[in-house]
Each structure stands twice: as structure tokens, then as C-alpha cells.
Amino acid sequence: MQAQQKIKSLLDQLNTVIVGKSARVQDCVACLLAGGHLLIEDVPGVGKTTLSHALAHTFGLQFTRVQFTADLMPSDLIGVSVYERGQEAFVFHPGPVFTQVLLADEINRASPKTQSALLEAMEEKQVSAEGETRPLPQPFFVIATQNPQDQLGTYALPESQLDRFLMRISLGYPDRQSERLLLAGSDRRHMATSVAPVLSALELAALQQAVLAIHTADPLLDYVQDLIAATRSGRWFVQGLSPRAGIALVRAAKAQALISGRDYVAPDDVQAIIAQTIAHRLVPVGNAGRGAVEQVQAMVDSVPLP
């Protein structure tokens, strides 16, 4: 019961900042409760960065924002060793990646070399620099925003980088009523940075353990495997999901079940988060005539329920 109250408080506070996007806000919370990294993709000005600020402050974690640009270097993220005369030695100065929540703003405006500097951090929760491996603070989340690839000055994220993100979401334009609240109300960016933390690090860790404890019955796992097999059939996508992507799908579904107040995963939980969890990892076949999200939905509709 206490977990449900905490999650409700999280969602209520976030929905006061990001109006009219309750489903997307719930996706974000599910992603972070599942211990995954989050990619928010949309045109500029729809609230990607504001949502990222609100998430970091609501979860009560140490937070660092990095604006990704074409001239950003890997050492600007990871850190660098500087010779200090007083100690007569090189001393490593940690970069902004040594935080609990890293907001990688407009990540696809940095060069591929700088983007790849995050690969080890996102997968292993550690950084290798100057001949040493240094652990990152726990928990460690990357919340990245990116602009559509057809905009000037963007570098597409490689498949290996996209696969590190548990979910990719898109906010889209607000409806008329929500936009009226934005036009007539207070500055949302200020609201996002001034919200009070709802969780402590220990409470967040407890919720993440609760996610891992959610039960997955054998018929549910059969259903997930049927979906994974469908992605590999060649009918829907050029290449299918990897085992790591399948594990990510189950983990996200467990988080969705916890948010819904259940101690087991239902097919509805899988269907609610599958597009956000796997579409960015897949390329539709050439004759699909649909985007990845729509192709995933068509595939899900064709796979029978357990």
C-alpha cells in the first residue's frame, strides 16, 4: 500500500508540471522504476527538457544537465586528469557523468565519438578513463532528449546506443485545453526545478526491488516469447529483438504492473509499454509503409493472447 501511495504522489506531482500527458508521464516513471534509461524524442519546445527536470527533482536524486553540441568532447563528459603541482601528480577530475541523473539534452547534436562515451556508463554503470575503472553513483539514470533526425545539425544515434535506452517516448503537441493552461499559467520550467522531492534514494531502491519481485507466470512469458519470435520472423522487421531487448520488455512490464497496483504481470501491461520499449530497436521491412511504432502495434494485434 505504501508503494502505491508513493507512486501516486510521483505521478500527481509530475502531472501538475506536464499537463495533458499523463500516459507519457506514467511511461517515464515506469522506465525509471525499472532501472532503465529514458530517451525523449520530439520537436523543440514541447516540454522534453522540462519533463526531464521534473523527473530528476521529483525522484530526489543528484542531477546534472549537459547540453550536447557538435564540439562537445568525450572528456567533457567523463572527466580529465590534471597535473597538480602541490601533489606532484596527475589528479583525475570527474566529469558531469558522475551523478545519479544525467540529463543529456539534445544528445543527437553531439558527434558519434562523444555519444559513444556514454555506452559503458549506461550499460556497466562505470567509466574507464586514464587507465582506471571508476564506478558511478547509484542509482544512475540517463534521461536524454533528442530532436528529429531530419533537423539540421543532428547525428543519428547508432543502434548500439539506442539499445541502451529502455524506453523511447514522444510527447507530441498538447491538446487545446492543456495548451490553454500552458498559455495562461506560470512558467513550467520554473515549476519543474522547484518541485519538492517525493522519494529518497532508499525509497527508490525499495520500489525498484518491488519491481523485480513482480510475478511473471509461464503463460505470460510464452506470450512475450511469441512477440519476440514475431519480430524475428522477417515479416515485420529487418532484424528481430535481441535477448537483452526481451529482458528489457519484461522489466518494463513489471514496472507497469506495479504502477497499476498488481503483484503480477498481465498481458495488458506488456501491450501498454511494448511500443515504447522495442520500437526504437527495430527497423520495419521495406514494404511496410508504416513507422516503427505503428508496425509494432500491427504486429501485436496479430499475435494471439495467452
Side-chain angles (χ1 to χ4, degrees):
M1 180 63 69
Q2 187 178 8
Q4 297 308 312
Q5 292 174 346
K6 286 291 183 182
I7 292 172
K8 184 178 184 303
S9 298
L10 278 171
L11 295 172
D12 289 346
Q13 179 160 287
L14 290 168
N15 285 322
T16 62
V17 179
I18 307 297
V19 295
K21 298 294 178 183
S22 58
R24 300 285 77 81
V25 166
Q26 183 166 314
D27 290 339
C28 296
V29 171
C31 180
L32 298 187
L33 291 181
H37 306 292
L38 176 65
L39 179 62
I40 307 174
E41 181 183 56
D42 220 317
V43 296
V46 295
K48 302 188 301 295
T49 305
T50 302
L51 175 57
S52 304
H53 276 277
L55 283 167
H57 286 85
T58 298
F59 274 80
L61 299 174
Q62 181 188 359
F63 172 67
T64 303
R65 176 183 179 273
V66 177
Q67 180 64 52
F68 277 58
T69 57
D71 59 351
L72 189 74
M73 300 297 293
S75 59
D76 296 328
L77 281 176
I78 295 172
V80 66
S81 291
V82 178
Y83 184 79
E84 295 190 1
R85 184 170 299 178
Q87 301 186 35
E88 296 185 351
F90 283 92
V91 177
F92 181 73
H93 292 257
V97 74
F98 287 86
T99 186
Q100 291 178 314
V101 178
L102 176 68
L103 170 53
D105 211 3
E106 296 186 309
I107 188 173
N108 60 336
R109 292 198 178 277
S111 67
K113 182 178 182 180
T114 302
Q115 293 175 7
S116 64
L118 284 175
L119 285 174
E120 182 185 10
M122 295 174 69
E123 184 66 21
E124 307 294 339
K125 308 297 175 67
Q126 65 184 26
V127 166
S128 298
E130 309 293 339
E132 290 186 30
T133 298
R134 297 173 172 86
L136 294 171
Q138 295 299 318
F140 175 72
F141 300 126
V142 173
I143 303 175
T145 70
Q146 73 169 359
N147 297 321
Q149 295 178 15
D150 56 355
Q151 294 200 347
L152 295 175
T154 59
Y155 300 84
L157 293 177
E159 289 81 359
S160 59
Q161 187 93 44
L162 285 171
D163 196 47
R164 266 42 174 206
F165 289 100
L166 180 67
M167 285 190 190
R168 180 182 66 178
I169 68 166
S170 178
L171 290 176
Y173 295 115
D175 56 41
R176 187 177 181 88
Q177 182 179 0
S178 299
E179 191 163 27
R180 184 61 169 260
L181 292 174
L182 296 175
L183 296 173
S186 57
D187 181 60
R188 297 289 157 170
R189 184 70 62 87
H190 175 71
M191 289 178 62
T193 56
S194 61
V195 295
V198 174
L199 293 179
S200 66
L202 289 177
E203 289 172 326
L204 175 57
L207 286 177
Q208 290 178 329
Q209 289 301 313
V211 168
L212 296 178
I214 296 294
H215 177 64
T216 50
D218 287 340
L220 189 283
L221 293 177
D222 289 339
Y223 179 54
V224 171
Q225 287 193 290
D226 289 343
L227 291 168
I228 294 173
T231 67
R232 299 171 180 170
S233 66
R235 175 186 173 189
W236 304 99
F237 301 100
V238 176
Q239 289 182 319
L241 291 176
S242 67
R244 176 167 59 188
I247 294 170
L249 176 59
V250 173
R251 202 164 78 238
K254 286 184 174 184
Q256 179 70 24
L258 180 66
I259 292 173
S260 300
R262 290 191 299 275
D263 60 358
Y264 63 93
V265 180
D268 288 348
D269 299 317
V270 176
Q271 293 177 353
I273 52 80
I274 187 169
Q276 303 90 298
T277 307
I278 72 171
H280 60 289
R281 309 169 196 263
L282 299 169
V283 177
V285 293
N287 60 353
R290 287 184 286 243
V293 173
E294 292 77 14
Q295 188 77 334
V296 167
Q297 192 56 57
M299 181 200 74
V300 171
D301 293 341
S302 72
V303 175
L305 287 169

